[in-house]
Amino acid sequence: MEIDAWVWWLVGATGLGIALVVTAMPELGMLAVGAVAASVTAGIFGGDAVFQVLVFVAVSTALLAVVRPIANRHRAQRPQYATGVDALKGRQAVVLERVDGSGGRIKLAGEVWSARALDTGRTFEVGEEVDVVDIDGATAIVM
């Protein structure tokens, strides 16, 4: 009993799909899609083995060349929405109690926060607007 070439390509695609799940390497998924394309080529068009391999290589290479850079770019991006403490960095606050290098109080995002000046020699008086540059525990670092 002879097994058709398209079945072998599907077996290869299945093996690559299993390896993708086990290793979480997206490149294997792109190779699996190339194997499915070669299987379709073998099943519909027949074609010789060289043509099937060329289809596999072309589809896999195209996916690797196009999809992989896009995926890497998305993986490297920071989240667009800052939450928690990160959302407070860069915001403005109003001084409620004199702020210097040793401490003070500000109103930040509707809440009262302890604060200290980034530059220890600088002081901010009541009513001044300051910029929050960092959060250290429960203390806002301002300038």
Side-chain angles (χ1 to χ4, degrees):
M1 179 172 125
E2 187 177 320
I3 299 177
D4 292 333
W6 68 270
V7 174
W8 286 114
W9 283 110
L10 282 182
V11 168
T14 303
L16 288 166
I18 291 170
L20 165 68
V21 171
V22 171
T23 64
M25 289 180 58
E27 292 83 3
L28 293 174
M30 295 174 215
L31 294 174
V33 172
V36 169
S39 174
V40 169
T41 300
I44 294 177
F45 302 114
D48 60 349
V50 173
F51 183 62
Q52 295 168 23
V53 170
L54 286 175
V55 168
F56 169 75
V57 169
V59 170
S60 297
T61 302
L63 285 172
L64 287 169
V66 173
V67 175
R68 192 167 182 232
I70 294 170
N72 286 338
R73 194 168 42 246
H74 282 286
R75 191 178 321 160
Q77 287 180 345
R78 292 190 54 146
Q80 291 180 344
Y81 298 106
T83 59
V85 172
D86 290 330
L88 299 174
K89 294 178 185 176
R91 302 224 10 213
Q92 287 192 332
V94 177
V95 176
L96 298 177
E97 293 176 15
R98 183 173 184 240
V99 175
D100 55 21
S102 61
R105 294 223 179 262
I106 60 169
K107 187 164 192 172
L108 173 62
E111 297 179 350
V112 176
W113 280 73
S114 61
R116 75 172 182 266
L118 178 65
D119 179 8
T120 55
R122 181 98 194 263
T123 61
F124 301 97
E125 299 300 327
V126 174
E128 281 188 69
E129 287 192 357
V130 292
D131 293 320
V132 177
V133 294
D134 198 11
I135 304 289
D136 182 21
T139 303
I141 310 301
V142 299
M143 63 178 238

